[in-house]
Amino acid sequence: MPAYKFKTDGSHLSKVANRRPASTGFGWHLFGENGYINRMAVKPIIPSSNNVAEWCAVIDAVEYTLDNLVDVSELSIETDSELVVKQISGDYAVKKDNLKLLKARYDQLLNQADFPIVVKHIPREENQIADALSKIASLLND
């Protein structure tokens, strides 16, 4: 059974005077068994915060796995959001109501999975492709 790895990122671009409203989005890419990227996602979302976008990216990766991948032995998700990783692990409390809803959705998906899900923090330098995808998603939100 294959193990899959995603790298995820969220982006919130602030309003720029009268040229562009604030916008938010996320992106991820999935590595196949061969170690190469075989899927990517670029998704604009309702303008909110970077933390919301980071959470949405992780949740979407899990949803994609549950809906589209078969015979998963393990799911690894790498993100440069220390906040999301520490909130998932329980090291940080989830205080904001909007993030509590996202954490509840993640927990619901975790309970549906019949394979382990590991969410790991990585440095931004190792997440450049997901970062670029998330910025594109934010820009599509205009």
Side-chain angles (χ1 to χ4, degrees):
M1 293 198 313
Y4 292 95
K5 179 173 85 171
F6 285 83
K7 288 192 177 187
T8 68
D9 202 10
S11 170
H12 175 75
L13 302 176
S14 299
K15 178 179 178 178
V16 178
N18 292 324
R19 297 190 322 239
R20 186 180 52 75
S23 56
T24 310
F26 66 86
W28 53 253
H29 55 100
L30 167 64
F31 292 89
E33 291 180 84
N34 58 9
Y36 294 103
I37 295 172
N38 69 2
R39 292 280 185 272
M40 291 184 280
V42 172
K43 298 188 179 187
I45 59 174
I46 295 169
S48 50
S49 70
N50 190 68
N51 291 336
V52 167
E54 297 279 5
W55 265 105
C56 287
V58 169
I59 289 167
D60 197 68
V62 176
E63 288 175 338
Y64 181 87
T65 302
L66 290 170
D67 293 344
N68 297 286
L69 303 177
V70 294
D71 296 329
V72 178
S73 64
E74 180 179 281
L75 175 61
S76 172
I77 300 173
E78 296 182 352
T79 176
D80 58 23
S81 173
E82 184 177 1
L83 178 78
V84 170
V85 171
K86 298 228 178 212
Q87 286 179 331
I88 286 172
S89 70
D91 291 339
Y92 290 174
V94 182
K95 296 178 182 177
K96 295 191 175 189
D97 289 341
N98 59 346
L99 299 182
K100 285 180 182 178
L101 292 172
L102 294 169
K103 173 70 163 74
R105 176 65 181 144
Y106 173 84
D107 290 342
Q108 184 181 51
L109 294 169
L110 187 63
N111 289 332
Q112 290 176 23
D114 60 354
F115 47 84
I117 299 174
V118 177
V119 182
K120 175 184 167 190
H121 180 258
I122 58 171
R124 288 179 195 223
E125 301 80 43
E126 295 177 22
N127 209 25
Q128 293 177 352
I129 295 171
D131 179 67
L133 294 170
S134 71
K135 293 219 177 8
I136 291 168
S138 289
L139 290 169
L140 292 173
N141 210 347
D142 282 347

